[in-house]
Amino acid sequence: MVDVLLGLQWGDEGKGKIVDYLAPKYDVVARFQGGPNAGHTLIVDGKKIVLHTIPSGVLHGHIQNLIGNGVVLDPITFRMECERLKESGVDVKKNLSISRKAHLILPTHRVLDAASEASKGAGKIGSTLKGIGPTYMDKTGRNGLRIGDVLLPEFMHRYEALKQKHIHLVKQYDYEFDITVQEKEWMEAVEYLRGFTMVDGEYWMNEQIKAGKKILAEGAQGSMLDIDFGTYPFVTSSNTITASACTGLGIAPHHIKNVIGISKLYCTRVGSGPFPTELLDEVGENIRQVGREFGSTTGRPRRCGWIDLVALRYAIILNGVTELVITKADVLNDFVTINVCSQYDVDGDLTNQIPFDMTQVSVKPHYTVLSGWKSDVSTIRDKNLLPAPLCSLIDHISEQTNVKVSIVSTGPDRNQLVSW
Ligand code: GDP
Ligand code: IMO
Ligand code: MG
């Protein structure tokens, strides 16, 4: 049995925290897409750990973790994550396996990412510059290097051939670079990677399912960054929706049971692209400061705005969400009223649908205004003790999306939440 947990907005919904909280119910946690563009924050007893490639079940000793074939892995970031975890007393090697079919991010992929972004000027995607786009391009272009390749005798030859291809490509951008230091670090990190358990992830996963193990598939990014259904071209380069758990792990759709969708009680986005409910005033700044909305991977300030039910309903149908987890309720503690976007006004017409290209039309959010609660909910663990306006707001979201809410998160720590 496989449950899928994923973000329903533009990423950073609090997936890491919720996976870490739910992990004790599972035997396996598996990442199925994305790479070090992700930053999943876990806070346990005040101690913060940010994971980029490693699944968020890693703090629980009994759990097996898998980096699936759909993931793109940068050995340098991977090694750094493992070493940081070791400093915190977590030996990842014992319970982490990596699919041989996951793709490798090369130093020149990062150069290509930076060169492509620089060439776009004001039209840039706002990529994390981790080499994600170029690596997925090499995967679909059938040029990529995979994790399993690092054990082949001709690995260095293949690496060199791909690097030369990249150097040739960078020439079109007129972009200066020097990867001497990164390349040395990368080679050392590849050697480090060779010490990890590599598996044919699809067989591995299906054996776990057959053995009756409970599996949680952990998404990265969010549905509005999906390569097909997100705000293209301001998206990431992988499918971030439930379907991607099948292709990114090698499992059949009928094995998937629950789909746990995560949304903040407001909305954020980091990088460029449409964001209809964005608040460019002091209200947005207040959310950013109180919610500490700065990127876990790049440190960039996140753009903040009101919750967007048009986008949320869209994400729910794309993913088949069976339960909602609402995070960061505590961030709105001090608000007198809270806006909820129920519809869009697109060029004067009210609609419940996301327009084909939001950059080509005028999209204005149509708001329902609800009462705030003006009190601190961060220490409350019992639903019955929560202020009535917060309960009404959560019930409103549940009614408007037609999906039950299972958890409301009231702070960054693992235990700061209320079961619904
Ligand atoms: P992810 O990428 O979806 O795992 O989310 P990130 O870790 O990038 O960003 C979420 C941020 O919000 C992290 O700093 C979390 O520690 C924090 N966080 C998660 N849930 C809550 C919550 O309910 N309240 C508050 N205040 N912070 C939260
Ligand atoms: P998690 O898993 C938020 C955004 C980038 C940029 C766009 C493309 O932590 O939620 P990319 O580097 O993928 O080519 O960048 O996608 N982005 C994220 N935003 N959270 C993430 O991951 C993100 N991963 C990518 O900011 O706008
Ligand atoms: Mg994040």
Side-chain angles (χ1 to χ4, degrees):
M1 186 273 290
V2 182
D3 288 346
V4 181
L5 180 148
L6 33 69
L8 301 178
Q9 300 172 307
W10 281 279
D12 304 328
E13 297 87 352
K15 299 175 288 294
K17 171 192 161 155
I18 302 299
V19 171
D20 174 53
Y21 169 75
L22 294 175
K25 288 192 196 170
Y26 294 91
D27 304 299
V28 173
V29 177
R31 273 278 303 269
F32 54 90
Q33 46 71 233
N37 48 352
H40 295 182
T41 314
L42 281 48
I43 300 187
V44 185
D45 299 331
K47 199 167 176 303
K48 176 170 161 176
I49 293 174
V50 182
L51 299 170
H52 302 285
T53 327
I54 295 173
S56 301
V58 75
L59 300 188
H60 302 268
H62 77 281
I63 287 185
Q64 288 299 312
N65 295 277
L66 176 77
I67 297 176
N69 58 279
V71 172
V72 290
L73 182 146
D74 184 335
I76 297 176
T77 323
F78 174 74
R79 181 183 183 171
M80 216 163 57
E81 273 184 82
C82 293
E83 287 175 350
R84 283 212 191 120
L85 281 165
K86 203 158 197 181
E87 283 164 21
S88 309
V90 182
D91 183 6
V92 198
K93 243 181 201 170
K94 280 198 292 200
N95 52 2
L96 175 70
S97 302
I98 309 172
S99 166
R100 290 191 178 92
K101 296 189 176 78
H103 278 243
L104 279 170
I105 301 176
L106 273 56
T108 39
H109 280 130
R110 295 182 65 154
V111 173
L112 279 168
D113 201 357
S116 162
E117 283 286 81
S119 76
K120 288 187 167 138
K124 69 176 182 184
I125 306 296
S127 131
T128 58
L129 303 180
K130 302 293 177 193
I132 305 298
T135 307
Y136 278 116
M137 279 164 75
D138 269 340
K139 175 179 176 175
T140 50
R142 296 158 295 179
N143 293 313
L145 283 179
R146 299 184 293 174
I147 299 291
D149 294 336
V150 303
L151 299 177
L152 300 179
E154 69 266 31
F155 176 68
M156 278 314 292
H157 174 73
R158 288 203 195 171
Y159 168 80
E160 209 41 55
L162 188 54
K163 177 180 130 186
Q164 289 309 325
K165 231 179 221 177
H166 292 162
I167 290 172
H168 187 71
L169 280 172
V170 180
K171 284 194 181 128
Q172 66 173 312
Y173 291 112
D174 186 26
Y175 184 84
E176 294 288 320
F177 71 96
D178 177 2
I179 54 160
T180 323
V181 176
Q182 291 89 328
E183 192 170 43
K184 184 169 174 287
E185 211 185 321
W186 194 84
M187 289 301 168
E188 287 164 4
V190 165
E191 187 49 37
Y192 179 79
L193 185 63
R194 289 189 177 106
F196 278 77
T197 307
M198 297 178 194
V199 294
D200 291 319
E202 61 282 30
Y203 283 113
W204 190 91
M205 279 293 295
N206 282 286
E207 276 160 20
Q208 303 292 326
I209 292 171
K210 209 167 172 187
K213 298 284 160 86
K214 288 187 166 174
I215 299 158
L216 184 61
E218 174 183 2
Q221 289 78 56
S223 303
M224 298 308 286
L225 289 170
D226 182 274
I227 182 73
D228 283 279
F229 302 107
T231 46
Y232 193 88
F234 302 99
V235 293
T236 191
S237 293
S238 65
N239 282 113
T240 58
I241 58 173
T242 304
S244 191
C246 295
T247 56
L249 294 171
I251 55 167
H254 68 265
H255 292 306
I256 294 175
K257 197 171 166 217
N258 301 309
V259 178
I260 306 159
I262 322 274
S263 166
K264 292 182 193 186
L265 195 49
Y266 50 93
C267 222
T268 64
R269 161 160 219 174
V270 58
S272 330
F275 183 180
T277 62
E278 182 169 18
L279 289 161
L280 295 165
D281 54 10
E282 68 280 7
V283 181
E285 186 55 34
N286 180 285
I287 295 178
R288 179 157 42 249
Q289 295 305 332
V290 178
R292 298 205 188 117
E293 294 296 356
F294 297 89
S296 317
T297 298
T298 58
R300 290 178 291 177
R302 294 177 184 147
R303 300 157 63 193
C304 299
W306 297 116
I307 192 165
D308 180 344
L309 295 186
V310 181
L312 199 58
R313 289 189 207 103
Y314 183 59
I316 286 167
I317 58 168
L318 292 171
N319 290 299
V321 173
T322 59
E323 59 186 272
L324 279 171
V325 172
I326 307 289
T327 58
K328 306 200 89 159
D330 55 303
V331 176
L332 302 186
N333 276 343
D334 288 332
F335 283 72
V336 178
T337 56
I338 289 162
N339 286 11
V340 174
C341 169
S342 49
Q343 283 184 302
Y344 291 163
D345 174 332
V346 177
D347 291 335
D349 293 323
L350 280 183
T351 175
N352 289 313
Q353 295 201 358
I354 303 276
F356 165 67
D357 184 346
M358 288 206 261
T359 64
Q360 299 301 313
V361 286
S362 143
V363 182
K364 292 195 198 101
H366 194 83
Y367 289 119
T368 305
V369 182
L370 280 90
S371 298
W373 47 95
K374 292 287 280 173
S375 62
D376 182 12
V377 296
S378 64
T379 53
I380 300 176
R381 303 282 174 274
D382 178 351
K383 184 184 170 188
N384 296 318
L385 301 177
L386 284 175
L390 172 56
C391 295
S392 302
L393 175 56
I394 301 294
D395 290 343
H396 178 77
I397 294 168
S398 179
E399 278 159 25
Q400 290 291 313
T401 54
N402 213 11
V403 182
K404 70 172 184 218
V405 172
S406 59
I407 293 172
V408 174
S409 174
T410 55
D413 201 89
R414 183 191 274 169
N415 295 316
Q416 283 181 294
L417 47 78
V418 176
S419 296
W420 212 252

